[in-house]
Amino acid sequence: MVSTSDALFAHKNSGIPDIEELPHSNLEERGRQRFCSALRRFAIQEMPEMVRKDFDQRVAPAHKAKGELIGDAVAIEEVMKGEASYRFYSTLRYNAQEMCFQSVQEPIERALPEMIDVAKAAVQRNPAGGSLRLNPEMPIPPYVSQLDVHLTPGCFHNEWVEDDVAQGAVVSLGARVFSASMNHRSWGGVAKVVSRWLKHERPDFAPVRILDIGTSSAKNLMPYAEAFPDSEAHGVDVAAPLLRYGHAVAEHEGIAIHLSQQNAEALDFPEGHFDLIVSSFFFHEITVDATRNVLRECRRLLRPGGVMVHQELPATCLVDAWEDFFWNWDTEHNNEPNYTSFRAQDPAVLLEEAGFGPDENFAQLLPDIGTYPERAEAFGWDEPGRPRHGKGAWYVFGSSLPS
Amino acid sequence: MADNSADKPTKDVKLPRSSKGARSRFFDDPAIDQIMTFLLELMAETNALRERADTIERLLDEKGTINRDEIEAYRPDAECEAERSAWSQAFIQRVMRFHEPD
Ligand SMILES: C[S@@+](CC[C@H](N)C(=O)[O-])C[C@H]1O[C@@H](n2cnc3c(N)ncnc32)[C@H](O)[C@@H]1O
């Protein structure tokens, strides 16, 4: 039998097949996936409102009547953790998270050899002009390897076969199941939101080189390459299977991006190499010490006149006690042990420590494209009726350097 | 470096089904945590069965007679996708009938 890679090499001028289309789910699997999407949506959109109502109408008044103060997230958790509403919310959310990933594993197992062939062909042919640079000697930081982050069995970095892409597929396709019935999260949503805002704020900004740190499979890098077509787009991550998978997707899409396996705490690019440095959903997964190292690297790599924008979870000092309590659930239950301590940092302090100037530093809420198709401008923190992060807005922090 | 690269099979990879790290428990009796997983898995199976029945019904409406391959090969159009997603959400709402707080 002719292998997929032989067949691919026989057609030198044809494109790279879509790796995302290779896993085929059968009727049962599609039925389960749809259920997982709906369950997750129910658990993170509807249940929290029910838990809040239970807190406001029953639990809080009972404690207040006894003269007890419930002033912050820790106190809310203390009084809620024994309540049925909170326990059921938590168990639904936890199981939904596990089930989303499990629902894609079997189709991925069946398609794996073919997916690997496609990823290898993408590396050898690079029809879009991108590149993939792996470093099998690079140690995986312990904050990535000690727990399976996000309850993704196998985490980001584990490899089960030569040239493996399995975890790239599990992370990408699992996330698709997750978000299938969520209206405010579209593919590459963050990158589209941030690039629209950048173009609005700085119409003349034309980055020569862009860097996305903790890029995973470059889902939130590709839209920058499209928004700034004259730039050279780079992405770094520690996880080889995610990078291989992302490279195959980009080469299929015809988007040239340059991916490398590196620890963002110490990158091999020269000083002042980038005009735009971005990240999304990254810092809360690493330790606060690592965050300080990465921000110092960003300072070293940013060129005068350059801009840095990190999408993250809003810091504790920027939200009320209930929202703080709501976000911190993941710390213990989604295998993200650094979540609470990252959020406890004041972004302004982190940025100053890394050498960015107080006049340039910012923390903003940007309008989501789906929810606000017409508005590019950031929300004011005390703007009446402004949405919160995750519900029509995206929180970002960052800085820029004077030219 | 991945810590499990030593003995890599060339095919038939079986991915791990559970995550590294202690499993969260939300109830005083761990049997209730387990029962919740059973319940949600059973709901997922019910959802899958319902999609099969819906596929058969739609094909019968269209063609009058069908075979197993047609059931497996059926691909819902956007309208049917939307109806099925709405069904799944309503199904969860019906089963998750929480008691009103006292
Ligand atoms: C939640 S994911 C990021 C998702 C991605 N930015 C997106 O928007 O789709 C976090 C990523 O950071 C990577 N990572 C963690 N620590 C890192 C480090 N020190 N250097 C580079 N990448 C790292 C992980 O491997 C993982 O892929």
CSV table of all heavy atoms in Angstrom, one decimal, chain A residues 220-256:
chain,number,residue,atom,x,y,z
A,220,ASN,N,-4.0,31.5,18.0
A,220,ASN,CA,-4.0,32.9,18.2
A,220,ASN,C,-2.8,33.6,17.7
A,220,ASN,O,-2.5,34.7,18.1
A,220,ASN,CB,-4.3,33.2,19.7
A,220,ASN,CG,-5.8,33.2,20.0
A,220,ASN,OD1,-6.5,33.8,19.3
A,220,ASN,ND2,-6.1,32.4,21.0
A,221,LEU,N,-2.0,33.0,16.8
A,221,LEU,CA,-0.9,33.7,16.1
A,221,LEU,C,-1.4,33.9,14.6
A,221,LEU,O,-1.1,35.0,14.1
A,221,LEU,CB,0.3,32.8,16.2
A,221,LEU,CG,1.5,33.3,15.3
A,221,LEU,CD1,1.9,34.7,15.6
A,221,LEU,CD2,2.7,32.3,15.4
A,222,MET,N,-2.0,32.9,14.0
A,222,MET,CA,-2.3,33.0,12.6
A,222,MET,C,-3.1,34.3,12.3
A,222,MET,O,-2.8,34.9,11.3
A,222,MET,CB,-3.0,31.7,12.1
A,222,MET,CG,-2.0,30.6,12.0
A,222,MET,SD,-2.8,29.1,11.3
A,222,MET,CE,-3.4,28.3,12.8
A,223,PRO,N,-4.1,34.7,13.1
A,223,PRO,CA,-4.8,35.9,12.7
A,223,PRO,C,-3.9,37.2,12.7
A,223,PRO,O,-4.2,38.1,12.0
A,223,PRO,CB,-5.9,36.0,13.8
A,223,PRO,CG,-6.1,34.6,14.3
A,223,PRO,CD,-4.7,34.0,14.2
A,224,TYR,N,-2.8,37.2,13.5
A,224,TYR,CA,-1.9,38.3,13.5
A,224,TYR,C,-1.2,38.3,12.1
A,224,TYR,O,-1.0,39.4,11.5
A,224,TYR,CB,-0.9,38.3,14.6
A,224,TYR,CG,-1.5,38.6,16.0
A,224,TYR,CD1,-1.7,37.7,16.9
A,224,TYR,CD2,-1.8,40.0,16.3
A,224,TYR,CE1,-2.2,38.0,18.2
A,224,TYR,CE2,-2.3,40.3,17.5
A,224,TYR,CZ,-2.5,39.3,18.5
A,224,TYR,OH,-3.0,39.6,19.7
A,225,ALA,N,-0.8,37.1,11.7
A,225,ALA,CA,-0.1,37.1,10.4
A,225,ALA,C,-1.0,37.6,9.3
A,225,ALA,O,-0.5,38.2,8.3
A,225,ALA,CB,0.4,35.6,10.2
A,226,GLU,N,-2.3,37.3,9.4
A,226,GLU,CA,-3.2,37.8,8.4
A,226,GLU,C,-3.5,39.3,8.6
A,226,GLU,O,-3.7,40.0,7.6
A,226,GLU,CB,-4.5,37.0,8.5
A,226,GLU,CG,-4.3,35.5,8.0
A,226,GLU,CD,-5.5,34.7,8.0
A,226,GLU,OE1,-6.2,34.7,9.1
A,226,GLU,OE2,-5.8,34.1,7.0
A,227,ALA,N,-3.6,39.8,9.8
A,227,ALA,CA,-3.9,41.2,10.0
A,227,ALA,C,-2.7,42.1,9.6
A,227,ALA,O,-2.9,43.2,9.2
A,227,ALA,CB,-4.2,41.4,11.5
A,228,PHE,N,-1.5,41.5,9.8
A,228,PHE,CA,-0.2,42.3,9.4
A,228,PHE,C,0.5,41.5,8.4
A,228,PHE,O,1.6,40.8,8.7
A,228,PHE,CB,0.6,42.6,10.6
A,228,PHE,CG,-0.1,43.4,11.7
A,228,PHE,CD1,-0.6,42.8,12.8
A,228,PHE,CD2,-0.3,44.8,11.5
A,228,PHE,CE1,-1.2,43.5,13.8
A,228,PHE,CE2,-1.0,45.5,12.5
A,228,PHE,CZ,-1.4,44.9,13.6
A,229,PRO,N,0.0,41.4,7.1
A,229,PRO,CA,0.6,40.5,6.2
A,229,PRO,C,2.0,40.7,5.8
A,229,PRO,O,2.7,39.8,5.3
A,229,PRO,CB,-0.3,40.6,4.9
A,229,PRO,CG,-1.1,41.9,5.1
A,229,PRO,CD,-1.1,42.2,6.6
A,230,ASP,N,2.6,41.9,6.0
A,230,ASP,CA,4.0,42.2,5.7
A,230,ASP,C,4.9,41.8,6.8
A,230,ASP,O,6.1,42.0,6.7
A,230,ASP,CB,4.2,43.6,5.3
A,230,ASP,CG,3.4,44.0,4.1
A,230,ASP,OD1,3.2,43.1,3.2
A,230,ASP,OD2,2.9,45.1,4.0
A,231,SER,N,4.4,41.3,7.9
A,231,SER,CA,5.3,40.9,9.0
A,231,SER,C,5.7,39.5,9.0
A,231,SER,O,5.2,38.7,8.2
A,231,SER,CB,4.5,41.2,10.3
A,231,SER,OG,3.5,40.2,10.4
A,232,GLU,N,6.7,39.2,9.8
A,232,GLU,CA,7.2,37.8,9.9
A,232,GLU,C,6.7,37.4,11.3
A,232,GLU,O,7.0,38.0,12.3
A,232,GLU,CB,8.7,37.9,9.9
A,232,GLU,CG,9.4,36.6,9.8
A,232,GLU,CD,11.0,36.8,9.8
A,232,GLU,OE1,11.5,37.3,8.8
A,232,GLU,OE2,11.6,36.6,10.9
A,233,ALA,N,5.9,36.3,11.3
A,233,ALA,CA,5.2,35.9,12.5
A,233,ALA,C,5.9,34.6,13.2
A,233,ALA,O,6.1,33.6,12.5
A,233,ALA,CB,3.8,35.5,12.2
A,234,HIS,N,6.3,34.8,14.4
A,234,HIS,CA,7.0,33.7,15.2
A,234,HIS,C,6.1,33.2,16.4
A,234,HIS,O,5.5,34.1,17.0
A,234,HIS,CB,8.3,34.2,15.7
A,234,HIS,CG,9.3,34.4,14.6
A,234,HIS,ND1,10.3,33.6,14.3
A,234,HIS,CD2,9.4,35.5,13.8
A,234,HIS,CE1,11.0,34.1,13.3
A,234,HIS,NE2,10.5,35.3,13.0
A,235,GLY,N,6.2,31.9,16.7
A,235,GLY,CA,5.5,31.4,17.8
A,235,GLY,C,6.4,30.5,18.6
A,235,GLY,O,7.1,29.7,18.0
A,236,VAL,N,6.4,30.6,19.9
A,236,VAL,CA,7.3,29.6,20.7
A,236,VAL,C,6.4,28.9,21.7
A,236,VAL,O,5.4,29.4,22.2
A,236,VAL,CB,8.4,30.3,21.5
A,236,VAL,CG1,9.4,31.0,20.5
A,236,VAL,CG2,7.9,31.4,22.4
A,237,ASP,N,6.8,27.7,21.9
A,237,ASP,CA,6.1,26.8,23.0
A,237,ASP,C,7.1,25.7,23.4
A,237,ASP,O,8.0,25.5,22.6
A,237,ASP,CB,4.8,26.2,22.4
A,237,ASP,CG,3.8,25.8,23.5
A,237,ASP,OD1,4.0,24.8,24.2
A,237,ASP,OD2,2.8,26.6,23.7
A,238,VAL,N,6.8,25.1,24.5
A,238,VAL,CA,7.7,24.0,25.0
A,238,VAL,C,7.2,22.7,24.4
A,238,VAL,O,7.9,21.7,24.5
A,238,VAL,CB,7.8,23.9,26.5
A,238,VAL,CG1,8.5,25.2,27.1
A,238,VAL,CG2,6.4,23.8,27.2
A,239,ALA,N,6.0,22.6,23.9
A,239,ALA,CA,5.4,21.3,23.6
A,239,ALA,C,5.5,21.0,22.1
A,239,ALA,O,4.8,21.6,21.3
A,239,ALA,CB,3.9,21.3,24.0
A,240,ALA,N,6.3,20.0,21.8
A,240,ALA,CA,6.5,19.6,20.4
A,240,ALA,C,5.3,19.2,19.6
A,240,ALA,O,5.0,19.6,18.5
A,240,ALA,CB,7.6,18.6,20.3
A,241,PRO,N,4.4,18.3,20.2
A,241,PRO,CA,3.2,17.8,19.5
A,241,PRO,C,2.3,19.0,19.1
A,241,PRO,O,1.7,18.9,18.0
A,241,PRO,CB,2.5,16.9,20.5
A,241,PRO,CG,3.5,16.6,21.5
A,241,PRO,CD,4.5,17.7,21.6
A,242,LEU,N,2.2,20.0,19.9
A,242,LEU,CA,1.3,21.1,19.6
A,242,LEU,C,1.9,21.9,18.4
A,242,LEU,O,1.2,22.4,17.6
A,242,LEU,CB,1.2,22.0,20.8
A,242,LEU,CG,0.0,21.7,21.8
A,242,LEU,CD1,0.1,20.3,22.3
A,242,LEU,CD2,0.0,22.7,22.9
A,243,LEU,N,3.3,22.1,18.5
A,243,LEU,CA,3.9,22.9,17.4
A,243,LEU,C,3.8,22.2,16.1
A,243,LEU,O,3.6,22.8,15.0
A,243,LEU,CB,5.4,23.1,17.8
A,243,LEU,CG,5.6,24.1,19.0
A,243,LEU,CD1,7.0,24.0,19.5
A,243,LEU,CD2,5.1,25.5,18.7
A,244,ARG,N,4.0,20.8,16.1
A,244,ARG,CA,3.9,20.1,14.8
A,244,ARG,C,2.5,20.2,14.2
A,244,ARG,O,2.4,20.4,13.0
A,244,ARG,CB,4.2,18.6,15.1
A,244,ARG,CG,5.6,18.3,15.4
A,244,ARG,CD,5.8,16.7,15.4
A,244,ARG,NE,7.1,16.4,16.0
A,244,ARG,CZ,7.3,15.9,17.2
A,244,ARG,NH1,6.3,15.6,18.0
A,244,ARG,NH2,8.5,15.6,17.6
A,245,TYR,N,1.6,20.1,15.1
A,245,TYR,CA,0.2,20.2,14.7
A,245,TYR,C,-0.1,21.6,14.1
A,245,TYR,O,-0.7,21.7,13.0
A,245,TYR,CB,-0.7,19.8,15.9
A,245,TYR,CG,-2.2,19.7,15.5
A,245,TYR,CD1,-2.7,18.4,15.2
A,245,TYR,CD2,-3.1,20.8,15.6
A,245,TYR,CE1,-4.1,18.3,14.9
A,245,TYR,CE2,-4.4,20.6,15.4
A,245,TYR,CZ,-4.9,19.4,15.0
A,245,TYR,OH,-6.3,19.2,14.7
A,246,GLY,N,0.3,22.6,14.8
A,246,GLY,CA,0.0,24.0,14.4
A,246,GLY,C,0.7,24.3,13.1
A,246,GLY,O,0.2,25.0,12.2
A,247,HIS,N,1.9,23.8,12.9
A,247,HIS,CA,2.7,24.0,11.7
A,247,HIS,C,1.9,23.4,10.5
A,247,HIS,O,1.8,24.0,9.4
A,247,HIS,CB,4.1,23.4,11.8
A,247,HIS,CG,4.9,23.5,10.5
A,247,HIS,ND1,5.4,24.7,10.1
A,247,HIS,CD2,5.3,22.6,9.6
A,247,HIS,CE1,6.0,24.5,9.0
A,247,HIS,NE2,6.0,23.2,8.7
A,248,ALA,N,1.4,22.1,10.7
A,248,ALA,CA,0.6,21.5,9.6
A,248,ALA,C,-0.7,22.3,9.3
A,248,ALA,O,-1.0,22.4,8.1
A,248,ALA,CB,0.2,20.1,10.1
A,249,VAL,N,-1.3,22.8,10.3
A,249,VAL,CA,-2.5,23.6,10.1
A,249,VAL,C,-2.2,24.9,9.3
A,249,VAL,O,-2.8,25.2,8.3
A,249,VAL,CB,-3.2,24.0,11.4
A,249,VAL,CG1,-4.4,25.0,11.1
A,249,VAL,CG2,-3.8,22.8,12.1
A,250,ALA,N,-1.1,25.6,9.7
A,250,ALA,CA,-0.7,26.8,9.0
A,250,ALA,C,-0.3,26.6,7.6
A,250,ALA,O,-0.7,27.3,6.7
A,250,ALA,CB,0.4,27.5,9.8
A,251,GLU,N,0.5,25.5,7.3
A,251,GLU,CA,0.9,25.2,6.0
A,251,GLU,C,-0.3,24.8,5.1
A,251,GLU,O,-0.4,25.2,3.9
A,251,GLU,CB,1.9,24.1,6.0
A,251,GLU,CG,3.3,24.5,6.6
A,251,GLU,CD,4.0,25.7,5.8
A,251,GLU,OE1,3.9,25.7,4.6
A,251,GLU,OE2,4.5,26.6,6.5
A,252,HIS,N,-1.3,24.2,5.7
A,252,HIS,CA,-2.5,23.9,5.0
A,252,HIS,C,-3.3,25.2,4.6
A,252,HIS,O,-3.8,25.4,3.5
A,252,HIS,CB,-3.4,23.0,5.8
A,252,HIS,CG,-4.8,22.9,5.3
A,252,HIS,ND1,-5.2,22.3,4.1
A,252,HIS,CD2,-6.0,23.5,5.7
A,252,HIS,CE1,-6.5,22.5,3.9
A,252,HIS,NE2,-7.0,23.2,4.8
A,253,GLU,N,-3.3,26.1,5.6
A,253,GLU,CA,-4.1,27.3,5.4
A,253,GLU,C,-3.3,28.3,4.5
A,253,GLU,O,-3.9,29.3,4.1
A,253,GLU,CB,-4.2,28.1,6.8
A,253,GLU,CG,-5.1,27.3,7.7
A,253,GLU,CD,-6.6,27.4,7.3
A,253,GLU,OE1,-7.0,28.4,6.7
A,253,GLU,OE2,-7.4,26.5,7.7
A,254,GLY,N,-2.0,28.0,4.2
A,254,GLY,CA,-1.2,28.9,3.4
A,254,GLY,C,-0.8,30.2,4.2
A,254,GLY,O,-0.5,31.2,3.6
A,255,ILE,N,-0.6,30.0,5.5
A,255,ILE,CA,-0.1,31.1,6.3
A,255,ILE,C,1.3,30.8,6.8
A,255,ILE,O,1.5,29.8,7.4
A,255,ILE,CB,-1.0,31.3,7.5
A,255,ILE,CG1,-2.5,31.5,7.1
A,255,ILE,CG2,-0.6,32.5,8.4
A,255,ILE,CD1,-3.5,31.5,8.2
A,256,ALA,N,2.2,31.7,6.4
A,256,ALA,CA,3.6,31.4,6.8
A,256,ALA,C,3.9,31.9,8.2
A,256,ALA,O,3.8,33.1,8.6
A,256,ALA,CB,4.6,32.2,5.9
